[in-house]
Amino acid sequence: MPSFKIDDFTSKLTAGGALSSLFECVVTGYKGDADNGKMNDFKYLCKGVTLPASAIETSAVTYMGRSMNIPGNRAAQTVSTSVYNDEGMEIRNHIESWMEKINSTNMNKRAPGFDAISSYTGTMSIFQLSKDGQTDTKEYEFIGVWPSTTGDLTLSWDSNDIQTFDVTWEFQYMRSADSGIGYSS
């Protein structure tokens, strides 16, 4: 018969468990027009991040009529962020500029100098913070990140809320020293 003791459960939530609201998201090596440091504000105005799932695709192999699944390649994933829009739309302008340089809306061309992958990608670091707000308990680093989608903005006379928009980020690979992800063994 299972025994239920609330103390057993709470003892497993070290320091009370991780809070979703304690994080910081930083983008470095970003591209686009000169922003006079406005992208540095991204870490303050990024109100939410959805970390990607980790998935390994399966490959079916048949032997004498029996199908077996074996591990295949890692599935491509994306990172999603939700950003508060500042009144000057500085961060949105910069991300739109970055996307325009990757592929222009008018000419369907890439900007000069954006040839190698490293010329149009940056790095995104996401830190899970402890309840003291100073110590990071987990860090993910997304290498070769670039914005693939900038979400819509709704303008309405019915709302006084601060605008937010979503950005979908593609990346080449991710790293996390805590779990050994992305580091050679």
Side-chain angles (χ1 to χ4, degrees), residues 105-116:
T105 58
N106 183 26
M107 300 296 292
N108 196 28
K109 298 189 330 185
R110 187 163 293 169
F114 272 48
D115 303 321

Side-chain angles (χ1 to χ4, degrees), residues 3-42:
S3 82
F4 173 79
K5 294 181 184 169
I6 195 69
D7 292 337
D8 291 344
F9 172 72
T10 57
S11 71
K12 304 305 179 199
L13 281 174
T14 308
L19 296 179
S20 297
S21 60
L22 294 176
F23 75 94
E24 187 173 73
C25 182
V26 178
V27 179
T28 56
Y30 40 82
K31 311 304 187 241
D33 291 335
D35 70 336
N36 301 324
K38 292 296 182 184
M39 274 298 283
N40 292 335
D41 294 343
F42 186 85

Side-chain angles (χ1 to χ4, degrees), residues 29 31 98 102 110 113-122 143-146 171-172:
K31 311 304 187 241
W98 188 350
I102 292 173
R110 187 163 293 169
F114 272 48
D115 303 321
I117 291 173
S118 62
S119 67
Y120 60 83
T121 62
I143 311 300
V145 72
W146 54 276
F171 60 93
Q172 303 306 315

Side-chain angles (χ1 to χ4, degrees), residues 58-114:
T58 59
S59 295
V61 176
T62 306
Y63 177 71
M64 299 183 99
R66 183 170 183 259
S67 181
M68 300 181 303
N69 289 330
I70 61 170
N73 293 324
R74 280 204 175 257
Q77 304 293 330
T78 60
V79 177
S80 298
T81 57
S82 183
V83 183
Y84 285 118
N85 199 17
D86 57 292
E87 193 168 351
M89 299 179 119
E90 300 289 345
I91 292 174
R92 186 175 177 94
N93 288 341
H94 190 80
I95 293 171
E96 286 176 347
S97 169
W98 188 350
M99 293 176 72
E100 180 70 11
K101 288 180 184 273
I102 292 173
N103 187 289
S104 93
T105 58
N106 183 26
M107 300 296 292
N108 196 28
K109 298 189 330 185
R110 187 163 293 169
F114 272 48

